[in-house]
Amino acid sequence: YKIERHDNHLLPSLDGGEQRGVLVAEISLPGRAPTLRVAATHFDYRGKEDERLASVAWLTEKLVKEQTVATILGGDLNATRETETLKKLGAHWKIAGETETPTIPTDKPERQIDFVLCRPDDAWEVVEVKVLEEPIASDHLPILAVLKLRTTSEK
């Protein structure tokens, strides 16, 4: 489908950490308005959650305010489900997959820090989520999320 627009936004950078960002693309879908929005990011890895929480606040302000835009967010969030980062994201986003699907380390995965999320909640059906056995391409295993965008009559 046609990419109508794409932007790379800088996320908040605290305490001299590596600059992080989020790439956002708006994609036209036949017979559907507004467009589908897809975003990819990689949050800060350091122990304190401050920068990750600032990134969540930025995403909430910029991507959540348009309540009707179907949006998918994916990436290395460097946070687990029990962290404040995921809890705050979970307040506005549906986390694809209800159970832990460990992605790191690749040789013997023990924790999940990579996620696919979508919003608004009622616009999406999570069909399947699984971790793929691909230990060569990255230091994380990839997640495959199959999502169905519901029609207005299915909501």
Side-chain angles (χ1 to χ4, degrees), residues 43-60:
F43 284 179
D44 182 62
Y45 68 91
R46 295 173 294 168
K48 288 175 56 179
E49 271 192 283
D50 298 357
E51 190 167 306
R52 289 185 293 280
L53 290 171
S55 294
V56 170
W58 189 96
L59 289 170
T60 300

Side-chain angles (χ1 to χ4, degrees), residues 112-128:
Q112 180 179 2
I113 62 172
D114 306 280
F115 293 89
V116 176
L117 304 96
C118 49
R119 67 170 323 281
D121 191 346
D122 66 345
W124 297 98
E125 176 187 345
V126 178
V127 176
E128 178 184 17

Side-chain angles (χ1 to χ4, degrees), residues 5 32 65 100 109 134 151:
R5 188 177 132 161
R32 187 165 183 105
K65 67 182 176 183
E100 183 81 0
E134 171 39 70
T151 62

Side-chain angles (χ1 to χ4, degrees), residues 67-88:
Q67 295 294 323
T68 60
V69 178
T71 306
I72 298 170
L73 170 65
D76 177 353
L77 302 184
N78 276 308
T80 56
R81 289 176 188 268
E82 67 275 356
T83 62
E84 196 64 26
T85 298
L86 262 290
K87 288 176 184 172
K88 288 198 178 279

Side-chain angles (χ1 to χ4, degrees), residues 1-7 23-40 63 66-74 93 116-120 123-125 145-150 155:
Y1 299 112
K2 182 179 179 190
I3 296 174
E4 296 291 339
R5 188 177 132 161
H6 59 86
D7 296 296
L23 178 62
V24 180
E26 294 180 9
I27 302 167
S28 291
L29 298 179
R32 187 165 183 105
T35 58
L36 169 67
R37 186 169 42 203
V38 179
L63 299 182
E66 298 169 16
Q67 295 294 323
T68 60
V69 178
T71 306
I72 298 170
L73 170 65
W93 298 79
V116 176
L117 304 96
C118 49
R119 67 170 323 281
W124 297 98
E125 176 187 345
V146 179
L147 306 171
K148 179 183 177 193
L149 183 56
R150 294 183 175 120
K155 292 182 184 178

Side-chain angles (χ1 to χ4, degrees), residues 103 106-107 132-143:
T103 57
T106 57
D107 59 340
L132 303 178
E133 293 294 326
E134 171 39 70
I136 305 299
S138 171
D139 61 336
H140 299 236
L141 294 175
I143 291 183

